[in-house]
Amino acid sequence: MKKIKKVSLAFLTLLTINCLSGCKKKQDDPKDVVVDINDLSYRNASGTKGLVASATQYASNAGIEILKKGGNAFDAAAAVGFALGVTEPNATGLGGSGYFLAYQAKTGEVKQFNFGAMIGKNQTVDLYDADTHLDQMKRGKLAVCVPGTVMGLTTLVDDFGSGNVTLGDVIDPSIKLCEEGFPATTFLV
């Protein structure tokens, strides 16, 4: 568990630094284009061996890249999740939480991931009584929690990944998006 926390913190720090530095693009850069999210003409999907679909083409491409490297659907799903944290942080950011239901056909195993936000280990459920602590729950120390998205996506790769790609491979497309930039959608701007 400590290894995951270190990887999660390191990834968030690296991603934040890369995104902040990568967002400073020259105005004449062709990547400084706003894409109309309602224009569906650029959203095509076809394939004979697999398909990846997500809210942005960049996140879908991240999943496709992982499949081409030998990753499985779980590796690709994690790559899409990390990429959505970059390309659509307002909706699926890395500072959030989530749930994942995974079925492994080879073993018949079904696993549910709950990577909800975590509270501090010294906090207890009775601290979250709305009758006595409502103000602190809205604005105080009880309003703060540790996001679970990075841990959840990392767990998905560790528990169900193919073993053909590393966590670094899975995260790499997101880092490239931060470093190289991408056209912003109307939702993002």
Side-chain angles (χ1 to χ4, degrees):
M1 190 59 128
K2 288 183 181 183
K3 179 182 172 190
I4 290 175
K5 288 179 186 177
K6 288 179 184 177
V7 169
S8 300
L9 181 59
F11 176 77
L12 282 174
T13 304
L14 178 63
L15 186 62
T16 302
I17 292 168
N18 281 332
C19 282
L20 291 175
S21 63
C23 289
K24 297 174 183 171
K25 294 280 186 187
K26 296 185 290 186
Q27 287 297 325
D28 60 346
D29 190 327
K31 291 182 180 174
D32 288 337
V33 175
V34 176
V35 176
D36 181 2
I37 195 72
N38 297 314
D39 177 12
L40 300 179
S41 64
Y42 69 93
R43 290 186 171 193
N44 276 333
S46 63
T48 57
K49 296 185 180 185
L51 180 81
V52 177
S54 73
T56 72
Q57 69 189 47
Y58 307 101
S60 296
N61 288 342
I64 291 168
E65 182 179 326
I66 295 306
L67 291 175
K68 286 181 177 178
K69 288 183 176 181
N72 63 15
F74 301 109
D75 296 320
V80 168
F82 284 120
L84 284 172
V86 174
T87 60
E88 204 175 58
N90 55 309
T92 54
L94 297 176
S97 57
Y99 307 92
F100 200 95
L101 183 63
Y103 171 70
Q104 180 66 281
K106 289 180 184 177
T107 63
E109 182 181 5
V110 176
K111 187 167 185 179
Q112 184 269 335
F113 292 95
N114 175 354
F115 44 98
M118 304 289 244
I119 60 173
K121 79 174 187 178
N122 292 329
Q123 292 175 304
T124 59
V125 174
D126 59 310
L127 287 174
Y128 290 89
D129 178 7
D131 293 332
T132 56
H133 297 99
L134 185 58
D135 192 52
Q136 283 188 2
M137 288 169 59
K138 288 182 177 180
R139 296 183 221 22
K141 64 182 180 181
L142 297 179
V144 178
C145 59
V146 178
T149 300
V150 174
M151 182 192 68
L153 296 174
T154 301
T155 301
L156 183 62
V157 173
D158 289 345
D159 288 4
F160 282 99
S162 65
N164 297 330
V165 293
T166 66
L167 181 59
D169 294 330
V170 170
I171 295 171
D172 191 51
S174 300
I175 294 171
K176 286 179 185 172
L177 284 167
C178 288
E179 291 174 343
E180 298 170 9
F182 56 93
T185 64
T186 53
F187 286 133
L188 190 56
V189 295

